[in-house]
Amino acid sequence: MACFVVPAVEAIVVTVVRKVMEKKEKQPEEVDIVLDGVPEKTHKMPFSGKLKWLTNLLWGGSVLLAFEHVWHGEVVPWFPFLTAASDPADAAEMLHEMATVGVSMAVLVTLVWLAMVGVSSVIEKRALKAEPAKV
Amino acid sequence: MTLLVSVFAAVISTVLWYKNAPKSEMKLGILCWLFWGASLMWLVDAIFEYAELKAAYFAPDPADMLNDLFLGLSVVALALVIWLVILLVKDPKGVVKNALFRKKAG
């Protein structure tokens, strides 16, 4: 009914947090690493860069799910935009769906992102440990 | 069916992105994020639907299946249009810019 609203709200919040973080972040950490057998100076991806993965997933999913809701006639281009919002019984059902399905969507996307951050940290550490560049 | 179409689109776009990496001239990453984000969300939708319908979830009416397939293909079309608009606006290869500005001869 309107489950995509929950991840969309999370997307807005995380985008704002990322923008603030980008402004506060200092120069990205410089790392010496061997890439394809050639020692190179690289910049480690800042946390805001990894946070962008989360906003990309949330925005991408929310946009396509919003289209699905338009397809099913649950979202309309006139006030109150959500067809379920005009009827109290439907509105209650919609809120229940947002609290269950919507929250689960946001949680799953965030968990997948956390896993991506974890795996990327392991890859970064392994790269630095296995092939330390000679300075 | 929509989930299935979305997952296939996500896998194909990720393979194409990986094949072209580290170059990102075609901005294929945009498609990956769109399709993976939607796939994860539809997966949750599918889990809730399965919890409600049980085994009947895997035996949908042909009409519903066709409608879902139509929806899935429409979602792919929308994602491709979004990707194309971003690609042309960001213009990483400078094709649009070159079409708009021509170098002075001589």
Side-chain angles (χ1 to χ4, degrees):
Chain A
M1 281 181 154
C3 48
F4 73 98
V5 172
V6 180
V9 169
E10 188 188 348
I12 293 167
V13 173
V14 179
T15 303
V16 172
V17 170
R18 183 172 63 82
K19 294 275 176 201
V20 172
M21 207 174 256
E22 268 175 354
K23 279 183 186 170
K24 283 186 178 175
E25 255 166 2
K26 295 169 199 161
Q27 192 73 12
E29 193 185 332
E30 208 170 78
V31 185
D32 292 303
I33 194 167
V34 179
L35 287 173
D36 299 325
V38 184
E40 282 189 62
K41 277 205 183 298
T42 56
H43 287 292
K44 205 174 166 189
M45 183 185 266
F47 186 71
S48 63
K50 291 178 181 176
L51 208 55
K52 198 175 178 200
W53 299 343
L54 178 61
T55 56
N56 286 344
L57 277 175
L58 289 166
W59 280 120
S62 301
V63 166
L64 296 188
L65 258 79
F67 174 74
E68 186 220 336
H69 286 73
V70 173
W71 180 279
H72 288 133
E74 292 164 350
V75 173
V76 285
W78 53 84
F79 191 79
F81 307 110
L82 302 166
T83 43
S86 48
D87 181 69
D90 287 345
E93 199 186 327
M94 178 185 76
L95 289 173
H96 179 259
E97 198 195 88
M98 283 166 73
T100 51
V101 184
V103 170
S104 303
M105 284 174 175
V107 168
L108 179 69
V109 172
T110 310
L111 285 176
V112 168
W113 171 72
L114 282 172
M116 286 168 69
V117 171
V119 170
S120 67
S121 303
V122 171
I123 293 170
E124 281 170 350
K125 276 180 193 162
R126 202 180 287 169
L128 288 169
K129 206 175 173 183
E131 299 181 275
K134 285 161 196 155
V135 185
Chain B
M1 187 58 95
T2 314
L3 170 65
L4 211 57
V5 172
S6 173
V7 169
F8 273 112
V11 170
I12 291 167
S13 52
T14 307
V15 169
L16 290 174
W17 167 79
Y18 190 86
K19 201 169 170 255
N20 288 296
K23 282 190 291 175
S24 66
E25 280 179 341
M26 294 304 289
K27 298 264 166 215
L28 289 168
I30 296 164
L31 282 176
C32 299
W33 295 120
L34 279 165
F35 289 131
W36 280 120
S39 298
L40 289 171
M41 291 182 194
W42 272 317
L43 174 68
V44 172
D45 220 21
I47 292 167
F48 273 87
E49 220 174 311
Y50 174 75
E52 196 183 311
L53 300 172
K54 302 282 185 272
Y57 173 78
F58 296 107
D61 285 337
D64 288 345
M65 223 161 83
L66 194 66
N67 186 265
D68 274 357
L69 175 66
F70 191 23
L71 170 62
L73 293 175
S74 304
V75 163
V76 171
L78 175 70
L80 289 173
V81 169
I82 292 170
W83 164 69
L84 201 61
V85 169
I86 297 172
L87 181 72
L88 293 178
V89 169
K90 291 206 169 177
D91 193 20
K93 290 177 88 175
V95 177
V96 178
K97 204 171 82 182
N98 283 346
L100 294 171
F101 299 97
R102 282 171 191 243
K103 279 182 189 167
K104 260 186 167 178

